Amino acid sequence: MEGGVFSAHKPTYLLLLLHIFLLALLPFKAISSPKTQAEALVSWKNTFAPAPPSLSSWSLTNPNNLCNWTAIVCDQSSEQVSQIDLSNFDISATLTYFNFTPFLKLTQFNLSGNYFTGPIPSELGFCTNLTYLDLSSNSLEGPIPSPIGQLRKLQYLDLSYNSLNSSIPSELGFCTNLTHLALASNFLQGKIPPSIGQLRELQYLYLHMNSLDSSIPSELGLCTSLTYLDLTSNHLEGKIPPSIGQLRYIQHLDLSNNSLNSSIPSELGLCANLTYLALASNHLEGKIPSSIGQLRELKHLDLSYNSLNSSIPSELGLCTNLTYLALASNHLEGKIPPSIGQLRELQYLDLHMISLDSSIPSELGLCTSLTYLDLTSNHLEGKIPPSIGQLRYIQHLDLSNNSLNSSIPSELGFCFGLTYLDLSRNQLSGSIPLTLGNLAHIQSLDLSNNNLNGSFPTEIAFPLLGNFYLSHNNFTYNTFVGKSDLCRDARGLSRGCNSKKNNKKVIIGVLVPVCGLSVVATTIALILMFHKKTRRVLKKIHSAQNFENFESMILQEEVKFTFGEVVKAIDDFHEKYCIGRGGFGRVYKAELLSGQVVAVKRLNMSDSNDIPAINLQSFENEIRTLTNLRHRNIIQLYGFCSRRGCIFLLYEYLERGSLGKALYGVEGVTELGWATRVKVVKGLAHALSYLHHDCSPPIVHRDVTVNNVLLESDFEARLSDFGTARLISANSSNWTHIVGSFGYMAPELALTMRVTDKCDVYSFGVVALEVMMGRHPGDLLESQLSKSSQSMKEDNAELFLKDLLDQRLEAPSNELARAVVLVMSLALACICTRPGSRPTMLYVAQKLSARSLPSLPEPFGMLTINKLMGI
Ligand SMILES: *[C@@H]1O[C@H](CO)[C@@H](O)[C@H](O)[C@H]1NC(C)=O
Ligand SMILES: *[C@@H]1O[C@H](CO)[C@@H](O)[C@H](O)[C@H]1NC(C)=O
Ligand SMILES: *[C@@H]1O[C@H](CO)[C@@H](O)[C@H](O)[C@H]1NC(C)=O
Ligand SMILES: *[C@@H]1O[C@H](CO)[C@@H](O)[C@H](O)[C@H]1NC(C)=O
Ligand SMILES: *[C@@H]1O[C@H](CO)[C@@H](O)[C@H](O)[C@H]1NC(C)=O
Ligand SMILES: *[C@@H]1O[C@H](CO)[C@@H](O)[C@H](O)[C@H]1NC(C)=O
Ligand SMILES: *[C@@H]1O[C@H](CO)[C@@H](O)[C@H](O)[C@H]1NC(C)=O
Ligand SMILES: *[C@@H]1O[C@H](CO)[C@@H](O)[C@H](O)[C@H]1NC(C)=O
Ligand SMILES: *[C@@H]1O[C@H](CO)[C@@H](O)[C@H](O)[C@H]1NC(C)=O
Ligand SMILES: *[C@@H]1O[C@H](CO)[C@@H](O)[C@H](O)[C@H]1NC(C)=O
């Protein structure tokens, strides 16, 4: 083999021989004294543009100090330079002016991470004692000089991330001690020299991101020490040499993004230590060899974007360590082998567009680690197996563009972590299961182009939903109507919004979840119905001349301003007064001439022709009740107005904003100490206790969240957003259009649709926990929901209270610790799954206001959640 190298590069090699011969004649001793080395370094440094200050020690004022210069290491005995490490010195220069001859003893030379330009000088070949050479991450150009083959002691060579544009010199094959060879990300052309097979010690070979072409030499199989081989993103063609099976120690093999067009050699199955195998984006043909099942250590397998045909070998199920499996975009046909269920570690499975037919095996449900599953664009038929509900960690599920024809299994609702769900372009029938309401994290939902019927369950609300497609189904739109800007967010419904024919079919039950307008929508609908049908004016106030007459208005008796004044104060809803916006519309801050400040919520609703009649008297009573509420912990609703199809709610304005803002804003920690947090929770408890127990009839707020609690300057809590509060009475408690915010909504609400004061108790519990924990207690709630309360106890047995509390604050002590423990134990009681087991708000408020706090059953640091739930 060496002979081959010689003949191929005879001229260069002879030249090199000549060099060495001439060098041999030179008086070495004289050349490589410390003095000549110092002079060579300084004159090189003088060509740096500019020389970095960190190299100030490089100076001829005291050349005897050479061994103490920055970046220089000397050989102990000879006191000559043995190592130069200028890595990451921000040097802009070339190697052209570096005189190599005084440095023939150099063993390490590191210029990585600078701005060196120009060629690599052939003289480098003189430094035959080099073991480590790193010129990576510069802008070196031109060829890799073939004299580099003289560096026989080289163990580590890194020329990656430069602009070298020659072929790889076959002389590299002489550097037989190389363990690490990196030439990645250059413009290297031509072939991988067969001489590479002489590098028997080579463990790491990085040639990715070049322009290498022709085929992979079968001699590569001789590099039997290889553990890591990366040839991605070149133009390699032809076959994968079967000799690759000789790489017994290889762990990482990546040949992706080339033009390889053979079949996958079954010899690959001999590389028993492979953990990472990627052959994606080539033109590979034939079958996936069943020998792949021998790769028991395999964690990552990517064969996507090839022309593989025949079926998926069931032996894949033997690779039980797989976490990533992608076979997408091939012609595999047939079925997903049931053996896939053995891949319990699998997190990522992409089988899109590989012509699969038959049905989805229910064994897929055994792959319980899955977070990503893509089966789109196959010919899968039959049903979505209910076992899919076992995929508790799944976040991305795409079954679109198949021929699935079952109904949507209600078990899908157990996939709590789903953020992306696409079932579009199938033949799914039946109605949407209520359990989809569990998918609190969903951001994109596409059910379009199926045969789904029924109505979209109104109790499903997705707070994070950004993309939502329902079109081309057989839904009946039998509930409320509303056409609004909100539709813009629901792209799937946009057809419905834009075409006159359909725009009455948009249900508010859909708008509510889509737009995150959980709260106010129902009231708005009610208000709209009210004003359109009756045009009844309860208390008409003379309007400012610039504005149209208001279509209806209710203002609290003692309010001293007119709506016209409000509109004037905010310059007819000028942007600059807008202090917040949401799916529902905008909030403006109006500073009236009198100095009073009010908040105006503007809700855009324009087309309400189709609203069914409602009990106007009861609605009127409701608004009156809300404006007449008086409690120090409840925000004042001054009134409402409507004008030009817009609804306005006038509220008291609080400078400090919401509890959520305080909790998660920049100043959250410093402002909200333990005492303040306890105070906030206490205030909220009193507000709810007042609504539930002091109002007649009682009022359920229905949407208690950290965003609906506002804070006064002294951190007194004020409950706001009474938009949806409904009077409880025997006949109105069965309220089919449930609104509420996910993460705060009592679990029974989704099942029974029955709104009771216990729903508020639950939401209060969540808010109280959130205030104390400094984050939403989602995990706690989930563990409680999905398990019996007994197992929750077991689960949380070892969970210490101190670990649950907001870690940004120091743990409370003494009196405060007792107050915090009381709040936490009450909050935990409030989130009981069984509504009947939750305390009343009256009880909670009284407990929190009691003169003496209960003493701790154990030292604060020892208290577990379990213990707390028993208190
Ligand atoms: C290098 O510096 C050390 C102390 O930092 C000193 O002891 C030593 O003498 C110096 N060597 C030379 C050659 O100046
Ligand atoms: C390389 O190092 C060895 C041992 O340190 C030394 O004997 C030899 O002279 C060096 N080679 C050159 C070219 O300086
Ligand atoms: C060169 O320096 C870089 C940066 O400090 C380092 O990561 C690299 O390992 C060094 N190369 C060698 C061969 O030591
Ligand atoms: C390599 O790049 C240099 C300039 O950087 C250019 O002159 C030379 O022609 C290029 N060689 C090849 C083989 O492309
Ligand atoms: C290669 O390395 C081995 C052991 O590390 C050493 O004995 C041998 O001399 C080296 N070969 C060359 C050419 O330096
Ligand atoms: C594939 O390789 C080509 C060059 O051969 C490169 O331009 C492209 O970015 C690579 N694609 C990927 C996904 O790495
Ligand atoms: C693979 O590609 C090479 C060169 O592009 C071509 O000669 C050969 O016929 C191809 N082989 C197959 C099986 O397509
Ligand atoms: C796999 O690697 C381990 C050490 O990492 C080694 O002991 C074992 O022999 C290798 N397996 C094979 C088949 O060579
Ligand atoms: C799988 O991985 C685990 C841990 O990463 C390892 O202990 C085990 O040997 C691997 N191989 C098989 C066949 O499970
Ligand atoms: C849509 O639903 C109606 C009423 O349930 C039914 O008659 C019709 O066949 C359905 N259309 C399709 C395409 O399923």
Side-chain angles (χ1 to χ4, degrees):
M1 194 153 265
E2 288 205 9
V5 173
F6 271 56
S7 55
H9 291 264
K10 209 167 231 160
T12 344
Y13 194 74
L14 285 178
L15 209 63
L16 185 69
L17 274 183
L18 192 65
H19 266 289
I20 290 172
F21 176 71
L22 289 175
L23 269 174
L25 298 177
L26 293 171
F28 274 132
K29 277 258 150 57
I31 290 176
S32 58
S33 69
K35 184 159 179 291
T36 52
Q37 292 187 334
E39 283 167 357
L41 287 174
V42 169
S43 68
W44 187 36
K45 177 185 130 172
N46 289 338
T47 69
F48 295 180
S54 47
L55 288 183
S56 57
S57 61
W58 288 28
S59 151
L60 289 179
T61 52
N62 187 4
N64 296 334
N65 214 14
L66 173 67
C67 297
N68 271 6
W69 285 8
T70 310
I72 301 293
V73 173
C74 284
D75 180 53
Q76 289 283 329
S77 52
S78 65
E79 296 208 336
Q80 294 195 17
V81 176
S82 66
Q83 299 179 18
I84 300 175
D85 183 357
L86 286 172
S87 60
N88 301 319
F89 267 73
D90 281 344
I91 297 170
S92 301
T94 70
L95 277 167
T96 315
Y97 301 108
F98 182 61
N99 183 5
F100 285 93
T101 36
F103 297 98
L104 302 183
K105 289 212 164 68
L106 205 59
T107 59
Q108 299 193 20
F109 194 34
N110 193 343
L111 301 183
S112 167
N114 287 290
Y115 305 101
F116 282 99
T117 57
I120 300 175
S122 299
E123 288 80 0
L124 190 61
F126 298 151
C127 303
T128 51
N129 271 348
L130 271 177
T131 54
Y132 293 94
L133 175 58
D134 191 344
L135 308 179
S136 64
S137 301
N138 280 290
S139 303
L140 296 166
E141 303 160 340
I144 299 177
S146 33
I148 214 160
Q150 281 307 306
L151 309 179
R152 303 285 166 91
K153 294 188 177 170
L154 217 49
Q155 292 171 15
Y156 186 109
L157 174 60
D158 193 348
L159 306 179
S160 305
Y161 298 95
N162 279 292
S163 302
L164 304 170
N165 66 356
S166 64
S167 56
I168 300 175
S170 67
E171 287 83 352
L172 263 181
F174 293 134
C175 308
T176 50
N177 263 9
L178 271 177
T179 59
H180 185 113
L181 175 56
L183 307 175
S185 198
N186 279 289
F187 303 110
L188 300 174
Q189 304 163 356
K191 59 182 183 181
I192 300 174
S195 62
I196 206 146
Q198 296 167 41
L199 307 180
R200 304 290 161 89
E201 307 293 328
L202 199 60
Q203 292 172 21
Y204 299 91
L205 178 56
Y206 304 91
L207 302 178
H208 53 279
M209 296 199 284
N210 279 294
S211 303
L212 300 169
D213 46 36
S214 84
S215 55
I216 301 175
S218 68
E219 287 83 353
L220 198 58
L222 300 171
C223 305
T224 46
S225 302
L226 271 181
T227 60
Y228 199 109
L229 173 58
D230 192 347
L231 304 180
T232 52
S233 299
N234 280 288
H235 309 307
L236 299 167
E237 54 185 34
K239 64 180 182 181
I240 300 177
S243 63
I244 215 143
Q246 297 166 28
L247 306 178
R248 296 295 170 85
Y249 297 100
I250 194 135
Q251 292 174 6
H252 184 111
L253 175 57
D254 197 343
L255 309 179
S256 303
N257 197 18
N258 280 291
S259 305
L260 302 168
N261 66 356
S262 65
S263 56
I264 301 176
S266 67
E267 287 82 355
L268 257 184
L270 298 172
C271 305
N273 269 352
L274 268 180
T275 58
Y276 185 106
L277 174 58
L279 308 175
S281 300
N282 279 290
H283 311 304
L284 298 170
E285 304 174 341
K287 60 179 189 178
I288 301 175
S290 53
S291 63
I292 214 145
Q294 296 166 29
L295 304 177
R296 302 291 162 87
E297 305 290 330
L298 207 55
K299 287 187 154 73
H300 181 112
L301 176 60
D302 190 352
L303 306 178
S304 314
Y305 299 96
N306 278 295
S307 305
L308 299 167
N309 46 38
S310 88
S311 56
I312 303 176
S314 69
E315 287 83 353
L316 255 186
L318 297 171
C319 306
T320 50
N321 264 1
L322 272 178
T323 60
Y324 184 106
L325 175 57
L327 307 176
S329 196
N330 277 293
H331 310 298
L332 293 171
E333 300 176 344
K335 60 180 183 182
I336 302 172
S339 63
I340 202 139
Q342 296 166 34
L343 306 181
R344 304 289 161 90
E345 307 291 328
L346 199 60
Q347 292 168 17
Y348 185 102
L349 178 58
D350 186 356
L351 302 180
H352 83 261
M353 224 163 80
I354 54 178
S355 311
L356 293 170
D357 41 40
S358 87
S359 56
I360 302 175
S362 68
E363 286 83 353
L364 198 57
L366 298 172
C367 305
T368 46
S369 303
L370 274 180
T371 60
Y372 185 104
L373 174 58
D374 188 350
L375 302 180
T376 190
S377 301
N378 282 293
H379 312 299
L380 295 166
E381 52 191 32
K383 61 180 185 181
I384 300 176
S387 63
I388 213 138
Q390 296 167 28
L391 306 179
R392 295 296 164 87
Y393 299 105
I394 192 118
Q395 292 168 10
H396 181 112
L397 177 58
D398 193 345
L399 307 179
S400 63
N401 200 16
N402 278 293
S403 304
L404 299 167
N405 55 21
S406 63
S407 54
I408 300 176
S410 62
E411 287 82 354
L412 203 52
F414 291 124
C415 303
F416 294 117
L418 271 179
T419 57
Y420 182 101
L421 176 60
D422 190 350
L423 305 178
S424 67
R425 289 170 290 156
N426 278 291
Q427 285 128 41
L428 297 170
S429 54
S431 56
I432 297 177
L434 270 184
T435 54
L436 285 202
N438 290 341
L439 307 179
H441 301 289
I442 199 102
Q443 289 165 20
S444 177
L445 176 62
D446 192 346
L447 304 177
S448 64
N449 292 285
N450 279 295
N451 290 328
L452 297 167
N453 55 36
S455 60
F456 191 89
T458 51
E459 51 279 75
I460 294 184
F462 302 113
L464 303 175
L465 203 56
N467 298 316
F468 185 39
Y469 308 88
L470 280 185
S471 63
H472 297 96
N473 274 295
N474 202 10
F475 289 121
T476 54
Y477 299 93
N478 55 1
T479 31
F480 273 129
V481 171
K483 172 193 169 242
S484 74
D485 298 351
L486 310 175
C487 299
R488 258 190 264 124
D489 295 340
R491 280 184 231 155
L493 294 171
S494 57
R495 190 184 314 268
C497 284
N498 297 335
S499 95
K500 194 69 194 163
K501 187 163 166 279
N502 284 339
N503 68 8
K504 290 162 189 165
K505 294 188 173 176
V506 181
I507 47 172
I508 195 133
V510 173
L511 296 179
V512 169
V514 167
C515 307
L517 159 59
S518 47
V519 189
V520 199
T522 309
T523 301
I524 301 151
L526 293 174
I527 294 169
L528 273 171
M529 294 164 210
F530 171 72
H531 89 260
K532 284 279 184 179
K533 290 290 177 194
T534 68
R535 310 273 156 135
R536 188 163 156 199
V537 178
L538 296 170
K539 180 181 177 187
K540 190 137 190 169
I541 303 210
H542 59 92
S543 56
Q545 277 158 359
N546 304 8
F547 304 106
E548 292 174 41
N549 280 356
F550 306 113
E551 286 149 9
S552 70
M553 174 178 294
I554 300 176
L555 282 183
Q556 190 194 305
E557 293 295 334
E558 55 273 39
V559 160
K560 294 287 185 295
F561 52 81
T562 67
F563 185 62
E565 274 173 56
V566 174
V567 175
K568 205 184 269 174
I570 55 177
D571 204 1
D572 203 7
F573 299 98
H574 193 281
E575 275 301 296
K576 70 181 175 195
Y577 298 101
C578 180
I579 54 170
R581 66 195 67 196
F584 55 86
R586 292 169 180 211
V587 183
Y588 298 83
K589 175 183 175 183
E591 295 188 53
L592 305 177
L593 287 178
S594 65
Q596 190 176 5
V597 184
V598 299
V600 189
K601 272 196 183 166
R602 174 165 119 154
L603 312 151
N604 302 318
M605 307 290 283
S606 49
D607 186 351
S608 57
N609 292 335
D610 215 31
I611 298 170
I614 58 146
N615 185 337
L616 296 170
Q617 191 60 46
S618 104
F619 174 66
E620 181 188 316
N621 287 343
E622 183 168 333
I623 287 286
R624 284 200 184 289
T625 311
L626 296 178
T627 52
N628 287 333
L629 290 178
R630 294 287 183 280
H631 189 276
R632 70 189 285 235
N633 294 115
I634 291 178
I635 208 90
Q636 194 64 57
L637 172 64
Y638 292 136
F640 102 97
C641 313
S642 70
R643 182 175 67 120
R644 283 185 286 181
C646 285
I647 290 292
F648 307 94
L649 295 168
L650 300 181
Y651 285 105
E652 198 180 358
Y653 175 81
L654 292 190
E655 191 69 53
R656 208 178 262 287
S658 74
L659 172 58
K661 186 180 147 212
L663 206 52
Y664 300 120
V666 269
E667 287 142 13
V669 197
T670 44
E671 285 186 334
L672 288 181
W674 291 119
T676 310
R677 291 181 194 217
V678 171
K679 175 178 176 174
V680 167
V681 171
K682 198 189 285 184
L684 178 57
H686 278 287
L688 287 168
S689 175
Y690 169 79
L691 293 178
H692 292 179
H693 303 283
D694 297 333
C695 292
S696 177
I699 295 172
V700 178
H701 183 281
R702 308 166 51 109
D703 194 30
V704 178
T705 74
V706 289
N707 293 324
N708 288 340
V709 177
L710 304 183
L711 296 177
E712 279 191 61
S713 49
D714 63 349
F715 289 100
E716 196 64 62
R718 303 286 297 272
L719 186 54
S720 87
D721 254 325
F722 282 83
T724 57
R726 297 277 305 167
L727 307 180
I728 292 189
S729 68
N731 54 9
S732 67
S733 59
N734 271 327
W735 176 249
T736 49
H737 305 284
I738 291 179
V739 288
S741 296
F742 255 89
Y744 297 89
M745 214 164 95
E748 73 272 14
L749 215 45
L751 302 173
T752 65
M753 301 184 195
R754 211 179 117 78
V755 178
T756 68
D757 50 357
K758 295 291 184 176
C759 301
D760 277 354
V761 176
Y762 181 91
S763 307
F764 165 81
V766 178
V767 170
L769 287 174
E770 187 167 355
V771 168
M772 292 298 158
M773 291 165 63
R775 62 188 168 86
H776 188 270
D779 312 346
L780 264 183
L781 302 180
E782 212 170 85
S783 72
Q784 197 187 31
L785 234 187
S786 56
K787 292 165 192 166
S788 74
S789 64
Q790 188 51 44
S791 72
M792 179 188 177
K793 278 192 173 174
E794 280 159 13
D795 262 27
N796 293 327
E798 296 307 319
L799 197 53
F800 286 102
L801 170 67
K802 66 176 168 58
D803 298 328
L804 208 57
L805 294 177
D806 194 338
Q807 299 294 313
R808 297 174 298 177
L809 296 184
E810 270 184 36
S813 54
N814 305 331
E815 187 84 355
L816 262 184
R818 286 197 276 159
V820 167
V821 168
L822 178 64
V823 168
M824 286 297 285
S825 58
L826 286 170
L828 286 168
C830 288
I831 61 159
C832 270
T833 312
R834 256 169 46 83
S837 308
R838 294 173 204 151
T840 63
M841 283 318 301
L842 182 63
Y843 175 86
V844 172
Q846 284 173 347
K847 278 282 175 194
L848 285 172
S849 303
R851 284 258 169 70
S852 61
L853 292 163
S855 56
L856 300 183
E858 281 177 36
F860 182 77
M862 305 293 292
L863 276 173
T864 62
I865 293 307
N866 211 0
K867 186 87 188 171
L868 235 52
M869 299 207 303
I871 290 180

